[in-house]
Amino acid sequence: TAIEESISTLNYAQSANGIMNKPVSSSLISFGVGENGFSNERPKEGSSVESWQEMEMRLQYMQAQVEEAQAALARKHLQQQELQERADKSEADLLESQQKLFNANLEINSLRDAVAEETQKRKESEEELFRTQEELKKTSLILKATQATEVALTTEARALIGTLETLIADRNEMHSLVVAQRDMESQRRKATQRFQQSAI
């Protein structure tokens, strides 16, 4: 992976950094395959220039590897910083979400209390409506009974009025007869008195 390659490059650069260069005559420089890439054997004739160039190329390669490792470290640092920023942002988002959830739970509890209160009020209103309907039914029955009683009383009153009118008419008739008889008796008495007076 990229991390393993970076670590390998850094280890290689660290090993290269530990090489100690000792300035010697160019005629004594020889690039070999011994420890640390150098050999104590005396170089062959005509090989010193090539060995020096090869060493320079190797040093350039190592420098390039070090720069690449530094660049990889910089990239890793940027990636780590980006990951940290993402983690911080995620944590902030999590805290914000938790706060929103807490507020939502508070609002839900408040709404539940409001619903429970409204349900209780509705229940009380329904009970009050039921009582009112019962009272209205009773009132309707009372009104019907009252109307029936009024009709019966009206009928009886009319019958009594008719009876009274009949009695009054009979009384008037009897009074007229009595008056007529009284007048006739008075006239008879007067006629008797006149007859008696004329006989004397």
Side-chain angles (χ1 to χ4, degrees), residues 154-164:
T154 302
T155 303
E156 291 178 359
R158 288 177 180 176
L160 288 173
I161 290 171
T163 303
L164 288 174

PDB file of all heavy atoms in Angstrom, residues 154-164:
ATOM      1  N   THR A 154    -107.621  22.617  28.057  1.00  0.00           N
ATOM      2  CA  THR A 154    -108.370  23.472  27.141  1.00  0.00           C
ATOM      3  C   THR A 154    -109.701  22.821  26.761  1.00  0.00           C
ATOM      4  O   THR A 154    -110.761  23.481  26.726  1.00  0.00           O
ATOM      5  CB  THR A 154    -107.548  23.743  25.872  1.00  0.00           C
ATOM      6  OG1 THR A 154    -106.306  24.363  26.251  1.00  0.00           O
ATOM      7  CG2 THR A 154    -108.299  24.642  24.917  1.00  0.00           C
ATOM      8  N   THR A 155    -109.642  21.509  26.498  1.00  0.00           N
ATOM      9  CA  THR A 155    -110.874  20.785  26.165  1.00  0.00           C
ATOM     10  C   THR A 155    -111.863  20.809  27.338  1.00  0.00           C
ATOM     11  O   THR A 155    -113.075  21.077  27.160  1.00  0.00           O
ATOM     12  CB  THR A 155    -110.540  19.344  25.792  1.00  0.00           C
ATOM     13  OG1 THR A 155    -109.606  19.344  24.701  1.00  0.00           O
ATOM     14  CG2 THR A 155    -111.783  18.587  25.367  1.00  0.00           C
ATOM     15  N   GLU A 156    -111.345  20.559  28.552  1.00  0.00           N
ATOM     16  CA  GLU A 156    -112.212  20.592  29.731  1.00  0.00           C
ATOM     17  C   GLU A 156    -112.764  21.989  29.964  1.00  0.00           C
ATOM     18  O   GLU A 156    -113.945  22.152  30.339  1.00  0.00           O
ATOM     19  CB  GLU A 156    -111.434  20.119  30.954  1.00  0.00           C
ATOM     20  CG  GLU A 156    -111.078  18.634  30.918  1.00  0.00           C
ATOM     21  CD  GLU A 156    -110.274  18.196  32.126  1.00  0.00           C
ATOM     22  OE1 GLU A 156    -109.992  19.067  32.982  1.00  0.00           O
ATOM     23  OE2 GLU A 156    -109.920  17.009  32.223  1.00  0.00           O
ATOM     24  N   ALA A 157    -111.885  22.997  29.770  1.00  0.00           N
ATOM     25  CA  ALA A 157    -112.346  24.370  29.969  1.00  0.00           C
ATOM     26  C   ALA A 157    -113.451  24.720  28.982  1.00  0.00           C
ATOM     27  O   ALA A 157    -114.457  25.372  29.348  1.00  0.00           O
ATOM     28  CB  ALA A 157    -111.170  25.328  29.816  1.00  0.00           C
ATOM     29  N   ARG A 158    -113.265  24.309  27.732  1.00  0.00           N
ATOM     30  CA  ARG A 158    -114.309  24.572  26.739  1.00  0.00           C
ATOM     31  C   ARG A 158    -115.614  23.863  27.117  1.00  0.00           C
ATOM     32  O   ARG A 158    -116.724  24.428  26.974  1.00  0.00           O
ATOM     33  CB  ARG A 158    -113.832  24.126  25.372  1.00  0.00           C
ATOM     34  CG  ARG A 158    -112.761  25.037  24.781  1.00  0.00           C
ATOM     35  CD  ARG A 158    -112.278  24.502  23.441  1.00  0.00           C
ATOM     36  NE  ARG A 158    -111.251  25.392  22.880  1.00  0.00           N
ATOM     37  CZ  ARG A 158    -110.589  25.138  21.757  1.00  0.00           C
ATOM     38  NH1 ARG A 158    -110.854  24.006  21.071  1.00  0.00           N
ATOM     39  NH2 ARG A 158    -109.679  25.985  21.320  1.00  0.00           N
ATOM     40  N   ALA A 159    -115.462  22.612  27.598  1.00  0.00           N
ATOM     41  CA  ALA A 159    -116.670  21.889  28.019  1.00  0.00           C
ATOM     42  C   ALA A 159    -117.357  22.596  29.186  1.00  0.00           C
ATOM     43  O   ALA A 159    -118.592  22.737  29.226  1.00  0.00           O
ATOM     44  CB  ALA A 159    -116.314  20.457  28.397  1.00  0.00           C
ATOM     45  N   LEU A 160    -116.529  23.052  30.172  1.00  0.00           N
ATOM     46  CA  LEU A 160    -117.093  23.768  31.322  1.00  0.00           C
ATOM     47  C   LEU A 160    -117.749  25.072  30.885  1.00  0.00           C
ATOM     48  O   LEU A 160    -118.835  25.449  31.392  1.00  0.00           O
ATOM     49  CB  LEU A 160    -115.992  24.047  32.349  1.00  0.00           C
ATOM     50  CG  LEU A 160    -115.486  22.833  33.132  1.00  0.00           C
ATOM     51  CD1 LEU A 160    -114.288  23.233  33.992  1.00  0.00           C
ATOM     52  CD2 LEU A 160    -116.588  22.243  34.004  1.00  0.00           C
ATOM     53  N   ILE A 161    -117.100  25.772  29.947  1.00  0.00           N
ATOM     54  CA  ILE A 161    -117.669  27.024  29.447  1.00  0.00           C
ATOM     55  C   ILE A 161    -119.015  26.760  28.762  1.00  0.00           C
ATOM     56  O   ILE A 161    -120.002  27.495  28.936  1.00  0.00           O
ATOM     57  CB  ILE A 161    -116.688  27.711  28.492  1.00  0.00           C
ATOM     58  CG1 ILE A 161    -115.478  28.242  29.288  1.00  0.00           C
ATOM     59  CG2 ILE A 161    -117.360  28.837  27.736  1.00  0.00           C
ATOM     60  CD1 ILE A 161    -114.355  28.754  28.418  1.00  0.00           C
ATOM     61  N   GLY A 162    -119.029  25.657  27.986  1.00  0.00           N
ATOM     62  CA  GLY A 162    -120.306  25.307  27.336  1.00  0.00           C
ATOM     63  C   GLY A 162    -121.388  24.986  28.350  1.00  0.00           C
ATOM     64  O   GLY A 162    -122.556  25.407  28.201  1.00  0.00           O
ATOM     65  N   THR A 163    -120.982  24.256  29.403  1.00  0.00           N
ATOM     66  CA  THR A 163    -121.946  23.930  30.455  1.00  0.00           C
ATOM     67  C   THR A 163    -122.436  25.186  31.155  1.00  0.00           C
ATOM     68  O   THR A 163    -123.638  25.343  31.444  1.00  0.00           O
ATOM     69  CB  THR A 163    -121.308  22.971  31.463  1.00  0.00           C
ATOM     70  OG1 THR A 163    -120.857  21.795  30.772  1.00  0.00           O
ATOM     71  CG2 THR A 163    -122.291  22.582  32.548  1.00  0.00           C
ATOM     72  N   LEU A 164    -121.471  26.084  31.475  1.00  0.00           N
ATOM     73  CA  LEU A 164    -121.843  27.342  32.134  1.00  0.00           C
ATOM     74  C   LEU A 164    -122.779  28.161  31.250  1.00  0.00           C
ATOM     75  O   LEU A 164    -123.752  28.774  31.733  1.00  0.00           O
ATOM     76  CB  LEU A 164    -120.594  28.137  32.482  1.00  0.00           C
ATOM     77  CG  LEU A 164    -119.752  27.596  33.635  1.00  0.00           C
ATOM     78  CD1 LEU A 164    -118.455  28.399  33.777  1.00  0.00           C
ATOM     79  CD2 LEU A 164    -120.543  27.630  34.942  1.00  0.00           C
TER      80      LEU A 164
END
